[in-house]
Amino acid sequence: MKADTHPDYHMITVKMTDGTEFQTRSTWGAEGDTLTLEIDPTSHPAWTGGTKQLQEGGRVARFNAKFGGLKLKK
């Protein structure tokens, strides 16, 4: 293996949004740094079953709201 081609792999502390912490090895930061998460599996709607963006109205919902009453002549 070549020297100085791989990043430093060291222990860091990860702090979740609910305050829990755990230690893991990472290339992020420096030895002993704390990575504070803003979104994690305990708070993100994709894992908690919260509302989805599609239900809040995307392009199709805006199109239907704008042109929903339009009828085509036959």
Side-chain angles (χ1 to χ4, degrees):
M1 186 163 67
K2 291 182 180 179
D4 300 327
T5 60
H6 299 284
D8 181 36
Y9 197 55
H10 49 268
M11 294 297 291
I12 65 165
T13 302
V14 178
K15 185 174 182 181
M16 308 286 270
T17 57
D18 62 357
T20 59
E21 296 181 355
F22 65 92
Q23 288 196 338
T24 187
R25 293 185 58 147
S26 176
T27 58
W28 180 86
E31 179 78 30
D33 282 353
T34 300
L35 174 64
T36 304
L37 299 178
E38 295 176 4
I39 297 175
D40 63 13
T42 61
S43 64
H44 195 278
W47 289 286
T48 60
T51 60
K52 293 181 176 69
Q53 189 174 4
L54 295 175
Q55 295 171 344
E56 296 171 2
R59 289 182 177 213
V60 174
R62 284 185 291 174
F63 178 85
N64 288 336
K66 188 172 184 179
F67 301 108
L70 186 63
K71 301 290 182 190
L72 297 175
K73 295 180 181 179
K74 289 189 175 186

